[in-house]
């Protein structure tokens, strides 16, 4: 598969998904943060689509529950949580489900937009080392506002994989981060299996190739960014890692590329969505609205009060 096809597929996945599941009058609304009990979880794609569509009118808007700069961390949850969105998404599209859940659980929650100019709906397109500097500045702002010594990072796709790992390794982030939770993270790059053909069949390949940005190339298997990050191991001492992976991921492929190997003083929990709920078929975008994912993230952030994750999470 040619590199330009891979880059186009990776960046175009959000566009394809929104086009395939554009909200209608009967589409689910953007979640209000309540974790509803359901016997058969849906794939989350309609919720992502609805949130992405809403974000187009105000691309810089924060999801509900995020960016209360007067929030004071509690004794129960002493570290703020920073949410980092994925490629071609934005904070509102990515986190309108999880952000209010975390806020209701008592966390101080923050979400940034990065990797594109203000007003651009399609963010996270920039070179990952440059975007990491934006994450570093935002985390410093959060720590200054809350008085906390460290933050917990929760990210999706690029925002849970290569980007925060670069921040931890090269921008001093390891000293300021307690835990990194990667949801469908692009930890070791992707072949973007099947998406290039899909993009071509939908006649969006040329457009997405032009708009993909350097971030898409950075996330392909064998990129310079991947090589530099993987040299010397996956982790940084002093940071705890969790991955939340779905076997139906069609963007970061093969899905096992998302797992991390533990290093010295850097434990790793590699979790698979279907181990908790075999009928949750959420794929790369939809996992951002999986209630099973919500429970796995809550457990990772507060293992002392973890609850069993299941289809009725």
């Amino acid at each position: 598969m040619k590199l330009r096809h891979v880059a186009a597929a990776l960046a175009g996945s959000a566009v394809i998904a929104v086009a395939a599941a554009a909200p209608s009058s009967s589409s689910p609304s953007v979640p209000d943060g309540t974790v509803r009990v359901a016997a058969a979880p849906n794939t989350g794609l309609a919720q992502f689509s609805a949130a992405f569509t809403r974000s187009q009118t105000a691309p810089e808007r924060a999801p509900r529950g995020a960016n209360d700069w007067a929030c004071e961390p509690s004794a129960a949850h002493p570290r703020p949580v920073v949410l980092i969105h994925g490629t071609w998404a934005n904070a509102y599209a990515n986190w309108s489900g999880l952000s209010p859940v975390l806020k209701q659980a008592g966390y101080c929650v923050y979400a940034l937009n990065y990797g594109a100019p203000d007003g651009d709906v399609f963010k996270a397109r920039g070179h990952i080392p440059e975007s990491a500097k934006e994450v570093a500045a935002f985390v410093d702002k959060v720590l200054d506002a809350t008085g906390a010594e460290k933050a917990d990072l929760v990210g999706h796709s690029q925002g849970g994989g290569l980007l925060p790992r670069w921040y931890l390794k090269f921008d001093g982030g390891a000293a300021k981060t307690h835990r990194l939770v990667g949801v469908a993270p692009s930890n070791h790059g992707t072949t973007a299996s099947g998406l290039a053909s899909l993009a071509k069949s939908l006649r969006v390949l040329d457009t997405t190739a032009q708009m993909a940005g350097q971030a898409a190339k950075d996330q392909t298997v064998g990129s310079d960014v991947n090589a530099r990050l993987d040299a010397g191991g996956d982790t940084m001492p002093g940071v705890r890692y969790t991955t939340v992976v779905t076997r139906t991921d069609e963007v970061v492929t093969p899905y096992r590329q998302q797992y991390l190997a533990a290093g010295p003083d850097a434990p790793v929990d590699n979790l698979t969505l279907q181990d908790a709920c075999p009928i949750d078929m959420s794929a790369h975008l939809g996992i951002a609205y999986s209630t099973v994912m919500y429970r796995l993230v809550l457990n990772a952030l507060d293992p002392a009060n973890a609850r069993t994750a299941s289809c009725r999470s």
Side-chain angles (χ1 to χ4, degrees), residues 29-77:
S29 61
V30 175
D32 61 7
T34 301
V35 179
R36 296 180 176 83
V37 173
N42 63 34
T43 65
L45 190 55
Q47 290 96 319
F48 183 96
S49 176
F52 187 87
T53 298
R54 286 192 179 185
S55 74
Q56 294 178 33
T57 60
E60 307 308 318
R61 72 191 299 183
R64 190 165 67 84
N67 296 353
D68 174 6
W69 294 99
C71 185
E72 296 183 5
S74 65
H77 301 305

Side-chain angles (χ1 to χ4, degrees), residues 159-182:
L162 293 181
L163 174 58
R165 285 180 58 212
W166 189 280
Y167 163 62
L168 297 179
K169 187 169 185 176
F170 297 115
D171 291 306
K176 302 173 184 180
T177 303
H178 174 259
R179 182 181 293 275
L180 169 60
V181 182

Side-chain angles (χ1 to χ4, degrees), residues 125-174:
R125 302 196 318 269
H127 190 28
I128 282 176
E130 296 304 315
S131 292
K133 292 180 172 59
E134 295 185 59
V135 172
F138 189 82
V139 172
D140 284 349
K141 181 180 177 181
V142 168
L143 295 181
D144 286 344
T146 59
E149 294 184 1
K150 293 186 177 183
D152 287 325
L153 310 182
V154 178
H156 176 250
S157 192
Q158 177 191 160
L162 293 181
L163 174 58
R165 285 180 58 212
W166 189 280
Y167 163 62
L168 297 179
K169 187 169 185 176
F170 297 115
D171 291 306

Side-chain angles (χ1 to χ4, degrees), residues 1-2 5-6 8-10 191-201 205:
M1 184 180 295
K2 294 181 179 179
H5 288 184
V6 175
L10 187 65
T191 62
S193 176
L195 280 180
S197 296
L198 179 58
K200 187 173 183 179
S201 69
L205 183 61

